[in-house]
């Protein structure tokens, strides 16, 4: 097992019982991998990347600040460049015809710990992603109801969480109006068919399929169409990617960056787990693959120094959706190594080494595992 993976697996063990006891059960303390308890950063264990739906109980959590108190009576204020400001409660939202979309939620920093040289930030391995079904109302329907002005080019979004002290910038975001009006963008109150959990943004959050998690504002309380993008640290400094990626280790000034949006093609092997010992016989190599820009076109697997061979895909193809891949291999006794690489329908192929960038976003190098057949 590689050192950093070992660290991830052992992180729970390293924490004292007292720390674990403080983590509410609903956040899945039995399963999630703890990357910091305050704010809450919890990763989905690799073994769950073998199925189409990530159970809510083990779905990763990424929160910048303390989770706000659960308030099922929270109002959602739709104001700014609109003809008719709206003040919406859960009942008002529920009066709209609900839509359900399945989508991958992936933190832009997923895989950050795998970038070399190392970059600061939460040292995620692979677990800051999951796929769920999300039920809610199209943001477009709310904007249309409020009579959004043609002057609006962006939609500012804020949640009910707040920074621990005034010097810390709030998590305020905006998305372009086109993305807000896209029929896949929804204000969701259900996840996997159940009420959204508090850690995931209850009572309602934004869902922006195909785009990284930083756009999926939780505990949503304000929607404000505006002429200009939102300002502040989380728009101007964080969540930005070099327009032209440069050599590893070099800083890039903000004006030479764009906001991160769609996540690139990647695949992750759930099984065999790295470092595992298995019995002789057919071995299934299984994992998931997705791309924010296009459907997955193929996943190829290579065992040891063999040729790349296509894996079988399960699930529905589409941008922002993940599919499960399976590949059966009959490995003779000894040590083996497998790698997976995905290609999307736009022809983008997963690179062997991910592109380094100063914030360590969008790691998507080939995932390799090694195991031993007895
Ligand atoms: N209000 C608010 N929304 C937020 C965040 C936050 O800190 N505050 N974190 C964002 C980030 S960076 C990610 S990756 C996703 C994580 O969603 P999850 O915790 O449901 O997995 O929520 C996003 N929405
Ligand atoms: Mo994130």
């Amino acid at each position: 097992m590689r050192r950093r993976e070992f660290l991830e697996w052992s992180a729970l063990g390293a924490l004292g019982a007292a720390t674990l006891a403080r983590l509410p059960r609903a956040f899945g303390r039995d399963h999630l991998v703890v990357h910091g308890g305050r704010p809450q950063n919890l990763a989905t264990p690799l073994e769950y990347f073998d199925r189409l739906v990530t159970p809510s109980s083990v779905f990763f959590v990424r929160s910048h600040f303390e989770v706000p108190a659960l308030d099922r009576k929270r109002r959602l204020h739709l104001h700014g460049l609109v003809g008719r400001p709206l003040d919406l409660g859960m009942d008002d939202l529920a009066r709209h015809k609900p839509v359900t979309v399945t989508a991958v939620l992936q933190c832009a920093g997923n895989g950050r710990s795998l970038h070399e040289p190392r970059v600061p930030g939460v040292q995620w391995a692979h677990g800051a992603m999951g796929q769920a079904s999300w039920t809610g109302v199209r943001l477009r329907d709310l904007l249309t109801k409020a009579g959004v002005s043609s002057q609006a080019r962006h939609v500012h979004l804020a949640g009910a969480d707040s920074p621990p002290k005034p010097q810390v910038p709030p998590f305020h975001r905006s998305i372009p109006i086109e993305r807000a009006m896209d029929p896949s963008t929804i204000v969701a109150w259900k996840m996997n068919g159940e009420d959204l959990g508090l850690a995931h943004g209850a009572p309602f959050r934004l869902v922006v399929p195909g785009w990284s998690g930083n756009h999926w504002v939780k505990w949503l309380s304000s929607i404000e169409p505006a002429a200009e993008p939102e300002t502040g640290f989380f728009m101007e400094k964080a969540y930005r990617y070099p327009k032209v990626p440069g050599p590893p280790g070099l800083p890039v000034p903000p004006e030479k960056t764009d906001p991160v949006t769609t996540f690139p093609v990647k695949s992750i092997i759930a099984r065999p787990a790295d470092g595992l010992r298995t019995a002789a016989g057919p071995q299934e190599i299984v994992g998931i693959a997705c791309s924010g820009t296009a459907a997955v076109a193929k996943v190829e697997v290579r065992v040891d120094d063999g040729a790349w061979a296509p894996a079988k895909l399960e699930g529905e193809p589409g941008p922002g959706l993940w599919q499960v891949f399976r590949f059966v291999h009959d490995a003779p006794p000894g040590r083996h190594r497998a790698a997976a690489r995905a290609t999307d329908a736009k022809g983008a192929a997963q690179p062997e080494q991910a592109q380094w960038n100063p914030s360590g976003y969008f790691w998507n190098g080939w995932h390799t595992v090694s195991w031993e057949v007895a």
Side-chain angles (χ1 to χ4, degrees):
M1 200 181 278
R2 294 167 67 183
R3 185 177 143 78
R4 59 172 70 94
E5 275 162 10
F6 172 76
L7 285 174
E8 178 173 313
W9 283 102
S10 64
L12 268 174
L15 284 166
T19 311
L20 286 179
R22 281 205 305 272
L23 292 173
R25 225 192 158 68
F27 298 162
R29 65 169 181 179
D30 295 336
H31 299 283
L32 286 157
V33 178
V34 178
H35 282 276
R38 290 172 74 147
Q40 224 161 20
N41 297 306
L42 307 168
T44 300
L46 214 44
E47 67 201 78
Y48 288 94
F49 293 99
D50 67 342
R51 61 197 82 182
L52 289 170
V53 174
T54 310
S56 305
S57 61
V58 290
F59 203 99
F60 89 97
V61 176
R62 195 321 180 214
S63 301
H64 289 81
F65 313 127
E66 201 87 333
V67 170
L70 177 60
D71 178 7
R72 297 230 176 255
K73 294 204 172 80
R74 183 166 296 132
R75 310 296 292 182
L76 181 52
H77 303 287
L78 210 171
H79 55 118
L81 290 178
V82 295
R84 217 154 33 102
L86 300 176
D87 175 37
L88 306 160
M90 192 57 238
D91 322 350
D92 305 302
L93 294 177
R95 244 173 254 131
H96 290 83
K97 196 174 130 58
V99 290
T100 297
V101 300
T102 296
V104 170
L105 166 50
Q106 177 172 211
C107 180
N110 193 24
R112 178 178 289 123
S113 70
L114 307 164
H115 280 290
E116 279 170 38
R118 213 178 160 87
V119 295
V122 181
Q123 295 298 305
W124 300 109
H126 302 295
M129 71 188 301
Q131 176 157 273
S133 73
W134 309 93
T135 303
V137 53
R138 292 195 163 99
L139 178 55
R140 174 173 83 175
D141 292 353
L142 300 180
L143 290 171
T144 304
K145 193 170 172 195
V148 62
S149 151
S150 60
Q151 312 292 301
R153 303 310 319 146
H154 301 269
V155 175
H156 295 204
L157 303 154
D161 53 340
S162 45
K165 39 185 176 184
Q167 308 90 289
V168 179
F171 187 76
H172 286 175
R173 303 279 317 158
S174 67
I175 57 174
I177 190 77
E178 297 76 24
R179 184 66 238 218
M181 296 299 277
D182 186 291
S184 73
T185 304
I186 65 173
V187 174
W189 56 82
K190 277 180 189 273
M191 176 181 183
N192 292 335
E194 290 175 349
D195 281 350
L196 195 62
L198 179 58
H200 298 294
F204 21 75
R205 78 167 317 157
L206 200 68
V207 167
V208 192
W211 283 26
S212 49
N214 49 298
H215 301 280
W216 298 45
V217 177
K218 303 196 276 191
W219 313 293
L220 194 61
S221 59
S222 169
I223 300 177
E224 184 187 0
E228 299 296 330
E230 179 60 285
T231 55
F233 177 82
F234 289 103
M235 291 299 292
E236 291 162 306
K237 297 267 162 36
Y239 300 116
R240 304 188 68 91
Y241 196 93
K243 290 176 198 285
V244 183
L250 278 194
V252 178
E255 65 275 13
K256 292 194 171 161
T257 62
D258 286 322
V260 293
T261 56
T262 47
F263 50 83
V265 65
K266 81 187 282 184
S267 60
I268 295 297
I269 300 171
R271 280 197 310 274
D274 204 39
L276 193 78
R277 272 178 77 90
T278 62
Q283 310 281 319
E284 192 180 54
I285 294 158
V286 49
I288 58 91
C290 61
S291 158
T293 25
V296 170
K298 63 175 176 185
V299 176
E300 296 160 292
V301 172
R302 185 177 70 186
V303 180
D304 301 327
D305 293 316
W308 288 99
K312 273 210 189 84
L313 291 178
E314 285 170 13
E316 234 175 273
L321 280 173
W322 85 29
Q323 289 183 272
V324 167
F325 68 85
R326 291 179 195 280
F327 181 88
V328 178
H329 174 75
D330 209 349
R335 286 203 70 78
H336 299 285
R337 201 163 45 88
R341 69 172 185 202
T343 303
D344 73 22
K346 288 195 170 147
Q350 215 182 319
E352 182 168 4
Q353 299 286 336
Q355 172 62 55
W356 187 92
N357 61 97
S359 300
Y361 294 138
F362 293 154
W363 184 90
N364 70 336
W366 296 349
H367 185 208
T368 53
V369 294
S370 53
W371 74 104
E372 191 168 353
V373 175

Coordinates of all heavy atoms in Angstrom, one line a residue, residues 302-330:
R302 N -5.3 -2.4 -17.9 CA -4.0 -3.0 -18.3 C -3.5 -3.8 -17.1 O -3.4 -3.2 -16.0 CB -3.0 -2.0 -18.7 CG -1.7 -2.7 -19.2 CD -0.7 -1.7 -19.7 NE -0.2 -0.9 -18.6 CZ 0.6 0.2 -18.8 NH1 1.0 0.6 -20.0 NH2 1.1 0.9 -17.8
V303 N -3.2 -5.1 -17.2 CA -2.7 -5.8 -16.1 C -1.3 -6.1 -16.3 O -0.9 -6.6 -17.4 CB -3.5 -7.1 -15.8 CG1 -2.9 -7.9 -14.7 CG2 -5.0 -6.8 -15.6
D304 N -0.4 -5.8 -15.4 CA 1.0 -6.0 -15.5 C 1.5 -5.3 -16.7 O 1.1 -4.1 -17.0 CB 1.4 -7.5 -15.4 CG 0.9 -8.1 -14.1 OD1 0.9 -7.4 -13.1 OD2 0.5 -9.3 -14.1
D305 N 2.3 -6.0 -17.6 CA 2.8 -5.2 -18.8 C 2.0 -5.7 -20.0 O 2.5 -5.5 -21.1 CB 4.3 -5.4 -18.9 CG 5.0 -4.7 -17.8 OD1 4.6 -3.6 -17.4 OD2 5.9 -5.4 -17.2
G306 N 0.8 -6.2 -19.8 CA 0.0 -6.6 -20.9 C -0.6 -5.4 -21.8 O -0.2 -4.3 -21.5
A307 N -1.4 -5.7 -22.7 CA -2.0 -4.7 -23.6 C -3.2 -4.1 -22.9 O -3.8 -4.7 -22.0 CB -2.4 -5.3 -24.9
W308 N -3.6 -2.9 -23.2 CA -4.8 -2.3 -22.7 C -6.0 -3.0 -23.4 O -6.0 -3.3 -24.6 CB -4.9 -0.8 -23.1 CG -3.9 0.1 -22.4 CD1 -2.7 0.5 -22.9 CD2 -4.1 0.6 -21.1 NE1 -2.1 1.3 -21.9 CE2 -2.9 1.4 -20.8 CE3 -5.1 0.6 -20.1 CZ2 -2.7 2.1 -19.6 CZ3 -4.9 1.2 -18.9 CH2 -3.7 2.0 -18.7
A309 N -6.9 -3.4 -22.5 CA -8.1 -4.1 -23.1 C -9.4 -3.4 -22.5 O -9.4 -2.9 -21.4 CB -8.0 -5.5 -22.6
P310 N -10.4 -3.4 -23.4 CA -11.6 -2.7 -22.9 C -12.4 -3.4 -21.8 O -12.5 -4.6 -21.8 CB -12.5 -2.7 -24.2 CG -12.0 -3.8 -25.1 CD -10.5 -4.0 -24.7
A311 N -12.9 -2.6 -20.9 CA -13.7 -3.1 -19.8 C -15.1 -3.0 -20.2 O -15.5 -2.2 -21.0 CB -13.4 -2.3 -18.5
K312 N -16.0 -3.8 -19.5 CA -17.5 -3.6 -19.7 C -18.0 -2.5 -18.9 O -17.6 -2.3 -17.7 CB -18.2 -4.9 -19.2 CG -18.3 -6.0 -20.2 CD -19.5 -6.9 -19.9 CE -19.6 -8.1 -20.7 NZ -18.8 -9.2 -20.1
L313 N -18.9 -1.7 -19.5 CA -19.5 -0.6 -18.8 C -20.9 -0.8 -18.4 O -21.7 -1.5 -19.1 CB -19.4 0.7 -19.7 CG -18.1 1.3 -20.0 CD1 -18.2 2.5 -20.9 CD2 -17.4 1.7 -18.7
E314 N -21.3 -0.4 -17.2 CA -22.7 -0.5 -16.7 C -23.2 0.9 -16.4 O -22.4 1.7 -16.0 CB -22.7 -1.3 -15.4 CG -22.5 -2.8 -15.6 CD -22.2 -3.5 -14.3 OE1 -22.5 -3.0 -13.2 OE2 -21.8 -4.7 -14.4
G315 N -24.5 1.0 -16.5 CA -25.1 2.3 -16.1 C -25.3 3.1 -17.3 O -24.9 2.8 -18.4
E316 N -26.0 4.3 -17.1 CA -26.3 5.2 -18.2 C -25.1 6.1 -18.5 O -24.6 6.7 -17.6 CB -27.5 6.0 -17.8 CG -28.6 5.9 -18.8 CD -29.8 6.7 -18.2 OE1 -30.6 6.1 -17.4 OE2 -29.9 7.9 -18.6
P317 N -24.8 6.2 -19.8 CA -23.8 7.2 -20.2 C -24.3 8.6 -20.2 O -25.5 8.8 -20.5 CB -23.3 6.7 -21.6 CG -24.5 6.0 -22.2 CD -25.4 5.5 -21.0
G318 N -23.5 9.6 -19.9 CA -23.9 11.0 -20.0 C -22.9 11.8 -19.3 O -22.1 11.4 -18.4
P319 N -22.8 13.1 -19.7 CA -21.9 14.0 -19.0 C -22.2 14.2 -17.6 O -23.4 14.2 -17.2 CB -22.0 15.4 -19.8 CG -23.3 15.2 -20.5 CD -23.6 13.8 -20.7
G320 N -21.3 14.2 -16.7 CA -21.5 14.3 -15.3 C -22.1 13.1 -14.6 O -22.5 13.2 -13.4
L321 N -22.1 12.0 -15.3 CA -22.6 10.7 -14.7 C -21.5 9.7 -14.6 O -20.6 9.8 -15.5 CB -23.6 10.1 -15.7 CG -25.1 10.6 -15.7 CD1 -25.9 10.0 -16.8 CD2 -25.7 10.3 -14.3
W322 N -21.5 8.9 -13.6 CA -20.5 7.9 -13.7 C -21.0 6.5 -14.0 O -22.2 6.3 -13.8 CB -19.6 7.9 -12.4 CG -19.9 7.1 -11.2 CD1 -20.7 6.0 -11.0 CD2 -19.5 7.5 -9.9 NE1 -20.8 5.6 -9.7 CE2 -20.0 6.5 -9.0 CE3 -18.6 8.4 -9.4 CZ2 -19.7 6.5 -7.6 CZ3 -18.4 8.4 -8.0 CH2 -18.9 7.5 -7.1
Q323 N -20.2 5.7 -14.6 CA -20.5 4.4 -15.0 C -19.6 3.4 -14.3 O -18.4 3.8 -14.0 CB -20.4 4.2 -16.5 CG -21.6 4.9 -17.2 CD -21.5 4.6 -18.7 OE1 -20.8 5.3 -19.5 NE2 -22.2 3.6 -19.2
V324 N -20.1 2.2 -14.0 CA -19.2 1.2 -13.4 C -18.5 0.5 -14.5 O -19.1 0.2 -15.5 CB -20.1 0.3 -12.5 CG1 -19.3 -1.0 -12.1 CG2 -20.6 1.0 -11.3
F325 N -17.2 0.2 -14.3 CA -16.6 -0.7 -15.3 C -16.1 -2.0 -14.6 O -15.8 -2.0 -13.4 CB -15.4 0.0 -16.0 CG -14.2 0.3 -15.1 CD1 -13.2 -0.7 -14.8 CD2 -14.1 1.5 -14.5 CE1 -12.1 -0.4 -14.0 CE2 -13.0 1.8 -13.6 CZ -12.0 0.8 -13.4
R326 N -16.1 -3.1 -15.4 CA -15.7 -4.4 -14.9 C -14.8 -5.0 -15.9 O -15.0 -5.0 -17.1 CB -16.9 -5.3 -14.7 CG -17.8 -4.9 -13.6 CD -19.0 -5.8 -13.4 NE -20.0 -5.2 -12.6 CZ -19.9 -5.2 -11.2 NH1 -18.9 -5.8 -10.6 NH2 -20.8 -4.5 -10.5
F327 N -13.8 -5.7 -15.4 CA -12.9 -6.4 -16.3 C -12.4 -7.7 -15.5 O -12.0 -7.6 -14.4 CB -11.7 -5.5 -16.5 CG -10.6 -6.0 -17.4 CD1 -10.7 -5.9 -18.8 CD2 -9.5 -6.7 -16.9 CE1 -9.7 -6.4 -19.6 CE2 -8.5 -7.3 -17.7 CZ -8.6 -7.1 -19.1
V328 N -12.6 -8.8 -16.2 CA -12.2 -10.0 -15.5 C -10.9 -10.5 -16.0 O -10.6 -10.6 -17.3 CB -13.3 -11.1 -15.7 CG1 -12.9 -12.4 -15.0 CG2 -14.6 -10.6 -15.1
H329 N -10.0 -10.9 -15.1 CA -8.6 -11.3 -15.4 C -8.3 -12.5 -14.6 O -8.5 -12.6 -13.4 CB -7.7 -10.1 -15.1 CG -6.3 -10.4 -15.3 ND1 -5.7 -10.5 -16.6 CD2 -5.3 -10.7 -14.4 CE1 -4.4 -10.8 -16.4 NE2 -4.2 -10.9 -15.1
D330 N -7.6 -13.4 -15.3 CA -7.2 -14.6 -14.6 C -5.7 -14.5 -14.3 O -4.9 -14.8 -15.2 CB -7.5 -15.9 -15.5 CG -7.8 -17.1 -14.6 OD1 -7.6 -17.0 -13.4 OD2 -8.2 -18.1 -15.1

